[in-house]
Amino acid sequence: MNGTNVSNSILKRLAGELPELTPEARKAATYVLENPHDVGVSTVREIAKAANVKPNTVVRMARQVGFEGYEDFRTPFRDAIRRGAADFPDRARWLQDIRKSGDLGGLYADIVLDVLANVEETFSGISTADLKSAADAIWNARRVFTLGVGVNHSVARNFTYLASTGMTEFHAIPRPGSTAVDDLAWADTRDVLIAVTCKPYRSEVVEAVSIAREQGMTIIAISDSPASPIICNADRGFVVGVDTPQFFPSSVSIIALLETLLSFVIAVASDEIVERVETFHKRRHQLGLYHKEPK
């Protein structure tokens, strides 16, 4: 929260007004200054109770620093949480607060708008040349390792699964019972690592990328900032939009980017890829894996 310019300026203004506040309002202001995360996820009654003052005292405090009331004062702090400038528990509490207020329509709209904005933001910063370069590296590699942990593990596995319909040496890591570092033990300059992590960055992904760099692997990194430690260590980096009212980063733009990247791999591949995909699906039909509609 303190990392956002808006809420920071409010806190500085509030600190400057402390000498001018009544003793009770000063108690409320002190609580806010010491617990700024609480403002975006708490009602006026909850803040008043925590500060041991009356609700109207909190309202007067907000007016003292130029706001019409507590809700007006609270808005920048809620927006900071929505933009991700707070930790996961604070964002979860904010969602609960929306539910209590009955503003689920607003939440619905925010999520849809963020999904669309994330995809637009992601692809506006990526050229076809960027994607082709990464696709060429993937197609020409001996082996491709896709690394994601936590929520990104399923994203990595989904990408690997789709790629495996036409390519044989795709591996989602970490494998069950293993670590990413162990899975990359014998990788070298002939191999590619596709790594995914967003703030807060997972240490095992950052470590694996660093080791892959030492081993001479080609690294394709997907993250939410150009300053991300995995993008800084990558041969090719893609910055994705992950904003969401949710308490975890959105995966939508990551999935969209990976699906697009795979399409580019198919496009730059040799003609044998078509035969491989055809053989793969023909075998599935033969094994009865696809449901047949009654004639």
Side-chain angles (χ1 to χ4, degrees):
M1 180 74 69
N2 287 332
T4 64
N5 292 334
V6 174
S7 55
N8 233 5
S9 64
I10 295 172
L11 294 173
K12 287 180 180 178
R13 199 188 322 163
L14 188 59
E17 291 287 340
L18 274 179
E20 308 301 322
L21 297 176
T22 65
E24 287 296 289
R26 194 177 305 131
K27 285 171 61 177
T30 299
Y31 179 83
V32 168
L33 290 170
E34 292 177 350
N35 304 276
H37 289 163
D38 289 357
V39 177
V41 297
S42 303
T43 65
V44 64
R45 292 186 179 279
E46 289 169 337
I47 289 292
K49 182 178 179 180
N52 197 27
V53 297
K54 295 179 179 179
N56 60 1
T57 300
V58 177
V59 174
R60 285 199 303 271
M61 173 209 70
R63 289 173 177 166
Q64 184 76 25
V65 289
F67 293 90
E68 293 183 5
Y70 177 74
E71 285 303 315
D72 189 28
F73 173 80
R74 178 191 187 194
T75 296
F77 293 88
R78 295 183 69 178
D79 288 345
I81 294 173
R82 177 180 172 276
R83 291 192 302 271
D87 58 20
F88 290 169
D90 281 332
R91 291 165 73 83
R93 281 193 288 271
W94 177 71
L95 286 170
Q96 285 288 303
D97 182 61
I98 288 179
R99 181 183 62 78
K100 293 174 184 175
S101 69
D103 190 21
L104 292 178
L107 173 62
Y108 177 78
D110 281 347
I111 288 178
V112 172
L113 288 172
D114 277 344
V115 164
L116 297 175
N118 286 338
V119 173
E120 183 178 5
E121 176 187 340
T122 296
F123 286 98
S124 68
I126 298 172
S127 68
T128 54
D130 295 331
L131 288 165
K132 184 180 183 302
S133 176
D136 283 332
I138 291 170
W139 176 248
N140 293 315
R142 176 184 61 167
R143 292 175 299 185
V144 178
F145 299 89
T146 311
L147 169 60
V149 298
V151 69
N152 289 317
H153 185 61
S154 61
V155 172
R157 290 191 66 83
N158 181 64
F159 175 75
T160 302
Y161 170 76
L162 292 174
S164 296
T165 63
M167 289 163 277
T168 58
E169 289 297 330
F170 263 73
H171 309 277
I173 61 174
R175 296 184 176 98
S178 184
T179 67
V181 171
D182 286 342
D183 292 334
L184 296 175
W186 310 114
D188 56 33
T189 55
R190 296 168 291 178
D191 303 317
V192 166
L193 172 64
I194 303 172
V196 185
T197 188
C198 298
K199 291 190 289 284
Y201 306 116
R202 290 293 292 261
S203 57
E204 58 265 61
V205 177
V206 175
E207 181 185 19
V209 167
S210 179
I211 289 174
R213 166 63 60 203
E214 292 174 6
Q215 294 175 196
M217 297 181 69
T218 297
I219 300 166
I220 299 170
I222 300 173
S223 192
D224 58 347
S225 168
S228 165
I230 67 168
I231 285 188
C232 291
N233 258 324
D235 298 282
R236 298 166 184 85
F238 295 98
V239 178
V240 293
V242 296
D243 286 348
T244 176
Q246 267 292 4
F247 61 92
F248 49 80
S250 172
S251 300
V252 174
S253 59
I254 299 173
I255 295 170
L257 172 60
L258 285 172
E259 288 183 358
T260 305
L261 178 58
L262 183 56
S263 297
F264 269 69
V265 174
I266 301 300
V268 304
S270 57
D271 292 343
E272 65 185 292
I273 193 71
V274 178
E275 183 179 347
R276 288 183 184 177
V277 173
E278 185 177 11
T279 299
F280 184 90
H281 284 285
K282 183 179 179 180
R283 181 173 179 272
R284 289 185 145 216
H285 281 290
Q286 290 172 341
L287 293 173
L289 297 181
Y290 294 126
H291 174 70
K292 292 182 179 180
E293 294 291 338
K295 294 181 180 181

